[in-house]
Amino acid sequence: MRDYSKVGPQFWIGSTGKKLRAAGMESQIVAMYLLTSPHANMLGLYYCPVMFIAHETGLGLEGASKGLQRAIEVGFCLYDEASEVVWVVEMASYQVGEALKPTDLRVKGVQNDYAALPENPYLARFYEKYSEAFCMPSCRENRSPFKAPSKPLRSQEQEQEQEQEQEQEQEQEQEQEQEQHTAAATRAGAVCVSLRSEGIGSVNPSHPALLALLADGTEIQEFVDAARLAREKNKGFAYVLGIVKKQREDAQRIAAQAKTAKPVPGRHHGIANNDFREGVTDDGRF
């Protein structure tokens, strides 16, 4: 999470600011949120599900969607629903600067943020717009399924058909992977919204441990319950993940023991008797 964001007076009185005002209150609130969002980076290109906007502005899904659409219409930003990535097109020039010298330490920071972005349709366009100003050394190309066809020779027709079939299979696999990634990202976003509502700050929907837990079938309520335990001890996001991970590991261990162990009269074993906070450190390890 960034410590601060730069927002100038032109936001209210500039040409785009006037268009946002004319478009309605929702568009102004969404625009200000996108500039100052805790999920934003200095590039203005970042993962931002609409549910984040809805929850953290208080607009609700309908108001957030309406404000976002109108912000797009006036040219303030672009939004890709598939990847849930927003691009506030001019934001980098305000947050980073009009231009950087090659020796400026921010050059590396810009490239690192750019390299860490999830796949989205704006990667090449961002590079085209800012590569010279920010001395960016490399571009992440957006994948394109289209290739210029060449005229086949008779002896090559069968081989080419096989290659086309393989390409189609690869494209289908990529689409399935993208759908799975999108579904996981949406669930991760929902978890983060729920954790914020429980008072857990600095959440990260791209955290590898969170994604691994979701892939293992962890339900949102498990994170919510862990957040309440963490809040009692004034702990944060990593601690919540540590509790959930320990709970699931202990549950799996007890289930495995139950299959092999013989019952002992007068003794009761179960997951309810375990305190999952024991042994969990501040950074979620145990």
Side-chain angles (χ1 to χ4, degrees), residues 224-259:
V224 173
D225 293 340
R228 292 168 182 166
L229 296 175
R231 189 176 58 192
E232 292 176 3
K233 300 187 68 174
N234 197 27
K235 303 299 183 182
F237 181 60
Y239 192 80
V240 171
L241 298 181
I243 290 177
V244 175
K245 183 178 179 182
K246 190 170 189 295
Q247 284 179 333
R248 294 188 68 81
E249 289 179 350
D250 284 355
Q252 292 170 358
R253 174 177 54 78
I254 291 171
Q257 290 175 349
K259 292 180 179 180

Side-chain angles (χ1 to χ4, degrees), residues 138-152:
S138 59
C139 174
R140 289 177 58 188
E141 295 291 343
N142 298 112
R143 298 177 183 175
S144 173
F146 302 104
K147 295 182 179 180
S150 58
K151 186 176 180 179

